[in-house]
Amino acid sequence: MSAEAFLDYYENQHSQLSKRQGRAPSIPNAVRYVRRYLVPEKNPVTNEIHDPGYDCIMEIWWKSREDFEASQRVISSPDRIDFVKEDEAVLFASHANPVCSVIEYDSPMGPNGESTHVKVVHL
């Protein structure tokens, strides 16, 4: 599948899976669902472009660990799992996609060494 076809399917089919089926969201209580499509760039040290091995990093943000775990139970529930696997078979090479939590630290980047922040605005 080309990168363009992958992006199109992910955005217009897979990310809309529950909605298209008329189901409740499979990511309940999520506050953000983001797909970040990777565009390999030239490494400034080697001048080479390296394949990162991934086309996309998908992020879902929850307010708590409990909300995350509830979502995982919904996605893997017997009444949904076959439908999810069928759709993912079109999009992904396998179902062996890594699932990770992220522990995040910020470095102060302000002009006087102060902490900076980014405000997410939902439109």
Side-chain angles (χ1 to χ4, degrees):
M1 178 182 292
S2 70
E4 294 80 17
F6 177 82
L7 188 149
D8 180 67
Y9 191 89
Y10 208 143
E11 290 304 307
N12 296 303
Q13 301 296 320
H14 189 70
S15 70
Q16 306 294 317
L17 200 54
S18 291
K19 182 179 176 181
R20 285 185 335 186
Q21 288 295 306
R23 296 174 180 251
S26 59
I27 46 177
N29 298 320
V31 295
R32 195 155 186 230
Y33 175 35
V34 181
R35 278 92 40 224
R36 300 179 187 276
Y37 298 94
L38 303 180
V39 178
E41 303 285 351
K42 190 184 299 185
N43 179 312
V45 176
T46 65
N47 257 351
E48 296 174 314
I49 296 176
H50 299 277
D51 180 352
Y54 295 98
D55 298 305
C56 179
I57 298 171
M58 185 270 295
E59 297 178 14
I60 302 175
W61 298 18
W62 287 275
K63 290 183 180 179
S64 68
R65 179 73 191 187
E66 291 77 21
D67 287 348
F68 163 74
E69 290 172 2
S71 177
Q72 300 306 286
R73 285 190 298 274
V74 169
I75 292 168
S76 63
S77 67
D79 68 322
R80 289 184 185 238
I81 195 67
D82 290 339
F83 180 71
V84 170
K85 284 182 176 180
E86 181 182 316
D87 188 73
E88 285 189 354
V90 175
L91 188 60
F92 303 124
S94 76
H95 296 292
N97 296 317
V99 175
C100 304
S101 295
V102 176
I103 299 169
E104 187 172 280
Y105 292 89
D106 280 328
S107 295
M109 300 298 289
N112 299 309
E114 69 271 11
S115 294
T116 55
H117 69 279
V118 175
K119 182 177 180 178
V120 176
V121 178
H122 298 277
L123 302 176

